[in-house]
């Protein structure tokens, strides 16, 4: 069907390939087609192969999920070998094939990247993060969730060179401790979203420093940060007036006494008030929710 479309006759009597490639086909037609179909088009003819290579060289956004997680290493390298204008790169859950060897050349030749997604890319190393910090000074969003290779030295490099960061996901980056997080937020005061979830090494020091250094903070995820306590939540409430959501599920040392301050401001929390939690538990046990006059 796609081949028939591309070979169809235009109002001027020619086929679509006769239209200007760089002015019409690449920016206005090919950009609306799934990447998987574009790759299939390369097999139609040499003209289509040249057209798709031109498109790939000028592509601003690459998302591996459009092809599937199991991209052959050689195919990935070939897809982006001529591209120097990428702005968004999403390679989440590519742990089966993505290593520094494939990623570093792409990062090294694309200095306009502002969104990078590497969630679950477990075979990379700290050198990948250092390369990102040196090559992408305008980086605004970075996801390193479940990348346990992220260490304090590579995070310091990121903080030193990428001060425009607005969103960072460090979920389950278990090598990181309070000191590394403090350094990051001190250098990157524009942060609006930060996830430190599933890290038992993160405690009050990191949360308080984040609150004091990032007044624009809107979203903070502390899920499973067992060392976080009430005092740092109160500091968060004091210094972050723009906070919109806070996740503290499984933070057993955080109580309603500190959360109520944020709750009264309309901040979205992932834990319910104690009375509501009790009613839910009671409903689970007896099968219905008893009527209680909450105004008493």
């Amino acid at each position: 069907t796609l081949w028939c479309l591309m070979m169809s006759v235009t109002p001027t009597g020619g086929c679509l390939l006769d239209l200007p490639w760089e002015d019409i086909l690449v920016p206005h037609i090919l950009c609306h087609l799934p990447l998987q179909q574009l790759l299939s088009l390369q097999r139609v003819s040499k003209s289509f192969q040249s057209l798709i290579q031109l498109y790939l060289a000028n592509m601003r956004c690459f998302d591996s999920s459009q092809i599937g997680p199991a991209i052959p290493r050689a195919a990935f390298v070939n897809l982006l070998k001529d591209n120097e204008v990428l702005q968004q790169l999403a390679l989440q859950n590519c742990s089966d094939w993505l290593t520094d060897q494939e990623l570093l050349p792409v990062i090294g030749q694309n200095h306009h990247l502002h969104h990078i997604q590497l969630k679950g890319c477990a075979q990379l190393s700290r050198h990948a993060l250092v390369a990102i910090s040196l090559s992408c000074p305008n980086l605004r969003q970075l996801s390193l969730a479940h990348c346990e290779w992220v260490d304090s030295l590579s995070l310091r490099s990121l903080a030193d060179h990428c001060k425009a960061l607005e969103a960072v996901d460090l979920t389950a980056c278990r090598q990181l401790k309070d000191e590394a997080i403090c350094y990051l937020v001190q250098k990157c005061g524009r942060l609006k979203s930060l996830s430190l979830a599933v890290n038992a090494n993160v405690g009050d020091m990191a949360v308080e420093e984040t609150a004091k250094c990032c007044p624009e903070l809107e979203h903070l995820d502390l899920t499973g940060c067992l060392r976080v306590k009430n005092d740092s939540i109160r500091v968060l409430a004091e210094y972050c007036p723009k906070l919109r959501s806070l996740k503290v599920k499984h933070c057993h040392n955080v109580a309603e006494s500190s959360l109520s301050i944020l709750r009264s401001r309309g901040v979205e929390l992932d834990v319910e008030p104690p009375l509501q939690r009790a009613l839910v538990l009671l409903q689970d046990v007896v099968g219905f929710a008893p009527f209680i006059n909450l105004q008493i």
Side-chain angles (χ1 to χ4, degrees), residues 9-30:
V9 177
T10 67
T12 59
C15 75
L16 285 180
L17 281 175
D18 294 330
L19 294 172
W21 288 12
E22 294 190 27
D23 296 330
I24 301 296
L25 290 181
V26 170
H28 298 295
I29 295 180
L30 296 187

Side-chain angles (χ1 to χ4, degrees), residues 98-150:
L98 185 65
T99 68
D100 290 355
Q101 183 176 351
E102 292 79 40
L103 181 64
L104 265 57
V106 176
I107 296 297
Q109 67 191 32
N110 284 281
H111 304 294
H112 303 289
L113 281 164
H114 53 72
H115 287 59
I116 299 179
Q117 166 68 265
L118 297 175
K119 177 182 178 181
C121 294
Q123 290 195 55
L124 298 175
S125 76
R126 59 184 302 272
H127 299 295
L129 186 53
V130 173
I132 289 171
S133 65
L134 296 177
S135 297
C136 309
N138 300 315
L139 192 65
R140 297 201 303 271
Q141 294 188 21
L142 175 63
S143 175
L144 299 168
H146 302 281
C147 293
E148 296 194 21
W149 44 266
V150 177

Side-chain angles (χ1 to χ4, degrees), residues 64-105:
S64 63
S65 65
Q66 294 184 11
I67 305 175
I71 308 173
R73 285 185 172 91
F76 172 75
V77 173
N78 185 63
L79 286 174
L80 297 179
K81 62 183 176 61
D82 298 321
N83 193 306
E84 298 180 359
V85 295
L86 271 181
Q87 296 179 3
Q88 300 182 43
L89 179 63
L91 298 170
Q92 61 270 24
N93 301 316
C94 294
S95 59
D96 290 340
W97 61 272
L98 185 65
T99 68
D100 290 355
Q101 183 176 351
E102 292 79 40
L103 181 64
L104 265 57

Side-chain angles (χ1 to χ4, degrees), residues 7 10 48 66 78 90-91 167 179-180 198 208 216 233 238 256 278:
M7 294 302 294
T10 67
F48 275 113
Q66 294 184 11
N78 185 63
L91 298 170
E179 292 77 11
V198 198
E208 291 180 14
E216 302 296 316
I233 302 301
E238 179 181 356
E256 184 64 21

Side-chain angles (χ1 to χ4, degrees), residues 62 70 124 142 145 168 195 258 285 290:
F62 180 85
L124 298 175
L142 175 63
V168 180
S195 176
S258 60
V285 173

Side-chain angles (χ1 to χ4, degrees), residues 18 22 30 34 73 80 156 173-174 213 242 247 249 252 255 275 277 283 287:
D18 294 330
E22 294 190 27
L30 296 187
R73 285 185 172 91
L80 297 179
R156 287 175 71 93
C173 293
R174 294 186 176 90
C213 296
K242 297 184 179 181
K247 295 183 178 180
K249 189 173 289 185
H252 304 304
L275 179 57
R277 287 203 300 270
Q283 183 175 2

Side-chain angles (χ1 to χ4, degrees), residues 22-268:
E22 294 190 27
D23 296 330
I24 301 296
L25 290 181
V26 170
H28 298 295
I29 295 180
L30 296 187
C31 63
H32 297 292
L33 300 176
L35 186 57
Q36 185 69 56
Q37 292 187 5
L38 291 175
L39 299 181
S40 298
L41 270 176
Q42 293 187 103
R43 299 192 291 269
V44 173
S45 68
K46 289 185 178 180
S47 295
F48 275 113
Q49 184 179 21
S50 299
L51 173 61
I52 300 307
Q53 287 177 349
L54 176 65
Y55 172 80
L56 293 173
N58 290 275
M59 186 168 50
R60 298 296 197 274
C61 177
F62 180 85
D63 187 346
S64 63
S65 65
Q66 294 184 11
I67 305 175
I71 308 173
R73 285 185 172 91
F76 172 75
V77 173
N78 185 63
L79 286 174
L80 297 179
K81 62 183 176 61
D82 298 321
N83 193 306
E84 298 180 359
V85 295
L86 271 181
Q87 296 179 3
Q88 300 182 43
L89 179 63
L91 298 170
Q92 61 270 24
N93 301 316
C94 294
S95 59
D96 290 340
W97 61 272
L98 185 65
T99 68
D100 290 355
Q101 183 176 351
E102 292 79 40
L103 181 64
L104 265 57
V106 176
I107 296 297
Q109 67 191 32
N110 284 281
H111 304 294
H112 303 289
L113 281 164
H114 53 72
H115 287 59
I116 299 179
Q117 166 68 265
L118 297 175
K119 177 182 178 181
C121 294
Q123 290 195 55
L124 298 175
S125 76
R126 59 184 302 272
H127 299 295
L129 186 53
V130 173
I132 289 171
S133 65
L134 296 177
S135 297
C136 309
N138 300 315
L139 192 65
R140 297 201 303 271
Q141 294 188 21
L142 175 63
S143 175
L144 299 168
H146 302 281
C147 293
E148 296 194 21
W149 44 266
V150 177
D151 60 11
S152 59
L153 288 177
S154 58
L155 194 69
R156 287 175 71 93
S157 178
L158 180 73
D160 285 335
H161 296 93
C162 299
K163 295 182 173 61
L165 279 167
E166 296 179 356
V168 180
D169 189 346
L170 299 173
T171 299
C173 293
R174 294 186 176 90
Q175 288 196 58
L176 300 178
K177 299 181 179 179
D178 280 348
E179 292 77 11
I181 304 302
C182 289
Y183 192 87
L184 174 69
V185 298
Q186 288 166 2
K187 296 287 186 176
C188 302
R190 301 181 188 177
L191 281 175
K192 295 181 179 180
S193 178
L194 178 63
S195 176
L196 304 174
V198 198
N199 192 335
N201 293 317
V202 169
D204 286 341
M205 182 191 300
V207 177
E208 291 180 14
E209 196 67 16
T210 298
K212 294 175 182 178
C213 296
C214 303
E216 302 296 316
L217 193 67
E218 297 178 2
H219 307 283
L220 180 61
D221 190 346
L222 300 174
T223 303
C225 294
L226 303 179
R227 294 175 55 231
V228 172
K229 301 181 181 67
N230 282 322
D231 288 345
S232 61
I233 302 301
R234 293 191 182 96
V235 173
L236 192 67
E238 179 181 356
Y239 284 89
C240 296
K242 297 184 179 181
L243 192 67
R244 294 167 52 193
S245 70
L246 173 66
K247 295 183 178 180
V248 288
K249 189 173 289 185
H250 307 302
C251 295
H252 304 304
N253 293 313
V254 174
E256 184 64 21
S257 58
S258 60
L259 294 177
S260 60
I261 305 171
L262 294 169
R263 204 184 297 279
S264 65
R265 283 174 22 193
V267 175
E268 180 183 345

